[in-house]
Amino acid sequence: MTDKTWEPCGWSHRPAAQQPQYPDAAAYEAALCTLKACPPLVAFGEVDNLRARLAGAGRGEGFILQGGNCAERFMDCRADNIANKLKILLQMSVILTYGVRRPVVRIGRFAGQYAKPRSSETEMVDGRALPVYRGDAVNSVEPSSEARAPDPQRLVSAYFYAAATLNHIRALIDGGFADLRHPYTWNLSSMEHSRNWGEYKTVLDRILDAINFMESFGGARSDVLGRVDFFTSHEGLLLGYEEALTRKDPDSGRWYNLGAHMLWIGARTRQVDGAHVEYFRGIANPIGLKVDAGTRPEDLLALLAVLNPDNEEGRLTLITRLGAGRVEERLPRLIQAVRDAGRKAVWSCDPMHGNTVTLEGGRKTRDFSVVLDELQRTFEVHEQQGGRLAGVHFELTADDVTECIGGPGDLTSGDLSRRYETYCDPRLNCSQSLEMAFLIARLLQSQQS
Ligand code: PEP
Ligand code: CO
């Protein structure tokens, strides 16, 4: 970054959207003081490594898979749950690797995804208006006005839950959990009822054959098969929290957010003169920017100029979430504007957030086929424009929930009440996520041929 005058607290002079109003200012300051004294969660070098990997994906040397909960909950910090989160991303990534024939960069929406931007301040629960749930880092989902009051102590809890989650992720990986040779890595029993199971089984057998074949020649590096990288990410929403985890690298003099490897700016907080953009422009982490249908080409260029003034490769990942029906109309102009301005950006697609529908009764859902449709159209537009889609971003879980309709189990709106567990947006369940990975692999393969 060229601006040496930037400071981690500089954002506080700008209008900051989506910040909780803490009734007890002293308690809030005390919580931030505690966080500032805590050790970082990730290392400078790991962040640099991810930036380089993202730059590679932008050049076509890899493919990005970013995924996890919409709202991660403190109670999700359990051994089985964390292992399942890793496993689903790992399985999806290997399926994608088979499709792209290039390494997949795995980034979890976990170990810190505890704060949510919301469209309204209040919601109606049983006929009463209550302050809205803003994520476990802010308030409790319990439907009472006391529970919904923002509690600064939750910021400290968020840090410790993130630390415990990440610690377990690191221990699992060190212990060989992500070893591609483990049979349980390949337990895809949830997929057996997919109408595409025959094709998937063939793909799986081929992947396993390839691993065995390389091993029998001593050609598979055991450290590569046994140790796979996972990176963490979350939306950088609560600026006091993010500032408290911002540290200066003594070697380079650059500031890093060491609460996660990657952070993104949400669609509701991307105002070019707003506090979030001011904070993000100063950190050296790779950052994501959600690009919604309301983003005009000139808005995007203004954001790119502020967020990536040195035009660094891998610095900025543009995550489009336009909605399936708007891709052809909006995306070409955005791609052309970025290209014509000579701006470097890595393009990813979040096919979830532009395709949310609210059913009668207020439940939100997403249709698997519409989600896939946005991805397919996005792949096509990038190809027509002579560029490339370098990654995908999903809200998903390894659990067998019923939140999105369609997919291999042909879930209908009538099925949703069976296991609707999200605290925020509907996620793809285990078999829907794996099916999606197979279908993306198919798309990627057809692009190469
Ligand atoms: C999200 O990723 O959970 C989210 C709120 O997305 P967006 O900012 O794109 O609406
Ligand atoms: Co969401």
Side-chain angles (χ1 to χ4, degrees):
M1 202 194 55
T2 43
D3 183 359
K4 294 269 185 281
T5 62
W6 181 89
E7 284 188 309
C9 64
W11 62 268
S12 57
H13 306 296
R14 302 280 182 96
Q18 298 283 341
Q19 303 303 291
Q21 299 307 313
Y22 292 100
D24 183 345
Y28 176 57
E29 286 307 320
L32 296 182
C33 256
T34 303
L35 290 172
K36 283 182 184 155
C38 285
L41 298 178
V42 303
F44 296 113
E46 294 171 349
V47 174
D48 291 339
N49 178 19
L50 177 59
R51 198 184 325 96
R53 300 274 301 271
L54 293 171
R59 294 190 300 265
E61 295 158 16
F63 191 74
I64 307 156
L65 171 64
Q66 187 171 19
N69 283 309
C70 177
E72 191 180 11
R73 305 168 302 183
F74 292 167
M75 71 183 198
D76 293 329
C77 184
R78 292 193 327 256
D80 55 344
N81 200 303
I82 296 167
N84 284 338
K85 278 193 231 215
L86 284 196
K87 189 167 127 183
I88 185 89
L89 283 182
L90 179 68
Q91 290 178 329
M92 289 176 76
S93 72
V94 181
I95 296 163
L96 290 174
T97 306
Y98 182 80
V100 267
R101 313 261 162 189
R102 276 165 293 169
V104 170
V105 187
R106 301 169 197 86
I107 310 174
R109 280 177 68 117
F110 51 48
Q113 176 54 19
Y114 299 119
K116 298 307 303 169
R118 302 309 303 262
S119 307
S120 46
E121 295 284 318
T122 55
E123 65 172 340
M124 296 302 285
V125 183
D126 299 330
R128 277 188 312 154
L130 284 178
V132 78
Y133 170 66
R134 292 182 177 274
D136 278 6
V138 177
N139 57 5
S140 161
V141 77
E142 290 306 315
S144 75
S145 45
E146 300 75 51
R148 293 284 173 94
D151 173 1
Q153 200 48 40
R154 285 179 166 270
L155 295 171
V156 178
S157 300
Y159 166 86
F160 283 103
Y161 280 113
T165 303
L166 188 50
N167 181 59
H168 193 54
I169 290 170
R170 294 194 195 275
L172 283 168
I173 294 171
D174 278 349
F177 176 85
D179 193 317
L180 297 183
R181 294 157 298 197
H182 266 307
Y184 66 77
T185 307
W186 297 105
N187 179 0
L188 299 192
S189 51
S190 64
M191 294 299 291
E192 280 166 19
H193 51 274
S194 164
R195 64 182 75 81
N196 297 325
W197 176 239
E199 177 193 338
Y200 298 165
K201 184 83 182 58
T202 311
V203 170
L204 281 182
D205 289 344
R206 285 205 190 133
I207 297 172
L208 286 170
D209 268 357
I211 293 174
N212 290 336
F213 180 75
M214 284 191 298
E215 278 203 306
S216 62
F217 278 87
R221 282 186 32 212
S222 165
D223 56 328
V224 173
L225 290 181
R227 275 194 58 111
V228 194
D229 291 333
F230 281 90
F231 297 97
T232 61
S233 69
H234 62 259
E235 176 170 350
L237 186 73
L238 305 175
L239 292 171
Y241 178 88
E242 302 305 344
E243 176 193 335
L245 292 174
T246 307
R247 307 291 153 85
K248 196 178 210 165
D249 177 8
D251 293 333
S252 67
R254 295 179 88 182
W255 291 98
Y256 286 66
N257 182 313
L258 296 184
H261 298 109
M262 179 187 191
L263 291 107
W264 73 86
I265 304 176
R268 294 174 185 78
T269 50
R270 61 160 175 77
Q271 302 77 13
V272 72
D273 49 3
H276 290 82
V277 170
E278 171 57 26
Y279 171 75
F280 270 79
R281 81 183 174 91
I283 54 170
N285 301 59
I287 61 182
L289 175 68
K290 291 289 199 85
V291 178
D292 62 350
T295 315
R296 296 169 305 172
E298 58 268 35
D299 301 332
L300 187 55
L301 290 183
L303 285 163
L304 286 164
V306 175
L307 292 169
N308 193 12
D310 299 335
N311 213 12
E312 213 183 330
E313 239 185 337
R315 155 75 174 161
L316 199 57
T317 301
L318 302 177
I319 308 168
T320 58
R321 31 85 90 226
L322 303 170
R326 299 205 191 86
V327 173
E328 275 96 4
E329 182 204 333
R330 307 285 161 105
L331 188 56
R333 282 185 289 158
L334 295 168
I335 297 173
Q336 286 156 14
V338 172
R339 189 183 51 214
D340 294 350
R343 288 273 166 201
K344 293 209 171 73
V346 179
W347 292 89
S348 178
C349 175
D350 160 5
M352 310 296 287
H353 284 90
N355 299 307
T356 314
V357 289
T358 304
L359 301 173
E360 222 173 295
R363 202 162 253 162
K364 287 194 275 186
T365 191
R366 291 154 172 163
D367 185 329
F368 183 93
S369 61
V370 180
V371 169
L372 180 65
D373 190 35
E374 174 155 357
L375 271 183
Q376 205 155 354
R377 289 169 191 264
T378 304
F379 269 113
E380 277 163 17
V381 168
H382 279 286
E383 203 178 20
Q384 283 157 13
Q385 294 293 323
R388 79 171 51 81
L389 181 64
V392 286
H393 181 122
F394 286 106
E395 287 184 341
L396 55 83
T397 170
D399 299 335
D400 193 17
V401 298
T402 56
E403 297 169 6
C404 291
I405 60 176
D410 287 326
L411 294 184
T412 64
S413 53
D415 292 312
L416 296 186
S417 54
R418 234 177 334 115
R419 252 193 98 173
Y420 194 94
E421 296 178 3
T422 182
Y423 277 13
C424 199
D425 288 337
R427 304 158 296 174
L428 298 178
N429 65 21
C430 183
S431 56
Q432 288 170 332
S433 302
L434 293 170
E435 174 111 352
M436 189 61 78
F438 277 113
L439 295 172
I440 298 170
R442 212 197 248 171
L443 280 175
L444 286 162
Q445 262 179 333
S446 67
Q447 281 203 312
Q448 283 164 2
S449 54

